[in-house]
Amino acid sequence: MQHVGKVPKRQPDASRQQFDLIRLKLQLKEAIDEENYEKAAGLRDQIRQVELELRSSSPAT
Protein backbone atom coordinates (compact mmCIF):
# COMPACT_ATOMS: atom_id res chain seq x y z
CA MET A 1 0.00 0.00 0.00
CA GLN A 2 1.32 3.42 -0.91
CA HIS A 3 0.42 6.65 0.81
CA VAL A 4 -0.48 9.41 -1.59
CA GLY A 5 -0.85 12.69 0.20
CA LYS A 6 -0.92 16.32 -0.68
CA VAL A 7 2.14 17.96 -2.19
CA PRO A 8 3.04 21.44 -0.93
CA LYS A 9 2.19 24.10 -3.49
CA ARG A 10 5.55 25.79 -3.01
CA GLN A 11 7.44 22.57 -3.65
CA PRO A 12 10.24 23.02 -6.20
CA ASP A 13 9.92 21.17 -9.49
CA ALA A 14 13.05 19.14 -8.72
CA SER A 15 11.46 17.79 -5.53
CA ARG A 16 8.30 16.86 -7.39
CA GLN A 17 10.35 15.15 -10.08
CA GLN A 18 12.31 13.22 -7.43
CA PHE A 19 9.02 12.07 -5.91
CA ASP A 20 7.75 11.04 -9.36
CA LEU A 21 10.99 9.17 -10.02
CA ILE A 22 10.66 7.15 -6.81
CA ARG A 23 7.02 6.37 -7.57
CA LEU A 24 7.82 5.28 -11.13
CA LYS A 25 10.68 3.02 -9.95
CA LEU A 26 8.35 1.33 -7.47
CA GLN A 27 5.76 0.80 -10.21
CA LEU A 28 8.49 -0.58 -12.50
CA LYS A 29 9.52 -3.12 -9.87
CA GLU A 30 5.89 -4.19 -9.41
CA ALA A 31 5.40 -4.54 -13.18
CA ILE A 32 8.51 -6.71 -13.47
CA ASP A 33 7.43 -8.84 -10.51
CA GLU A 34 4.07 -9.36 -12.24
CA GLU A 35 5.89 -10.12 -15.53
CA ASN A 36 4.04 -7.25 -17.20
CA TYR A 37 6.93 -6.33 -19.49
CA GLU A 38 5.01 -3.99 -21.78
CA LYS A 39 4.03 -1.84 -18.81
CA ALA A 40 7.60 -2.09 -17.49
CA ALA A 41 8.97 -0.80 -20.80
CA GLY A 42 6.64 2.19 -20.69
CA LEU A 43 7.63 2.94 -17.10
CA ARG A 44 11.31 2.61 -18.03
CA ASP A 45 10.81 5.23 -20.73
CA GLN A 46 9.02 7.55 -18.29
CA ILE A 47 11.87 7.12 -15.77
CA ARG A 48 14.42 8.05 -18.45
CA GLN A 49 12.42 11.16 -19.32
CA VAL A 50 12.18 12.32 -15.70
CA GLU A 51 15.90 11.67 -15.16
CA LEU A 52 16.69 13.68 -18.30
CA GLU A 53 14.53 16.55 -17.05
CA LEU A 54 16.25 16.44 -13.65
CA ARG A 55 19.71 16.58 -15.26
CA SER A 56 18.75 19.45 -17.55
CA SER A 57 17.17 21.49 -14.74
CA SER A 58 20.05 21.07 -12.28
CA PRO A 59 22.62 23.89 -12.27
CA ALA A 60 25.92 23.11 -13.97
CA THR A 61 28.79 22.60 -11.59
Side-chain angles (χ1 to χ4, degrees):
M1 179 180 269
Q2 178 182 353
H3 172 73
V4 179
K6 292 184 178 180
V7 177
K9 292 179 183 179
R10 295 179 295 178
Q11 181 182 26
D13 284 339
S15 294
R16 182 190 52 79
Q17 289 172 325
Q18 287 287 349
F19 176 78
D20 290 343
L21 192 57
I22 292 167
R23 180 183 48 81
L24 288 169
K25 287 182 178 182
L26 287 171
Q27 290 177 350
L28 175 62
K29 183 183 180 318
E30 290 173 3
I32 292 170
D33 289 345
E34 295 170 359
E35 298 181 6
N36 189 345
Y37 300 117
E38 289 179 17
K39 181 178 179 181
L43 290 166
R44 177 203 61 209
D45 294 342
Q46 289 179 14
I47 289 168
R48 286 182 180 164
Q49 183 63 37
V50 172
E51 289 175 337
L52 182 64
E53 290 171 9
L54 278 171
R55 275 189 246 122
S56 66
S57 68
S58 64
T61 54

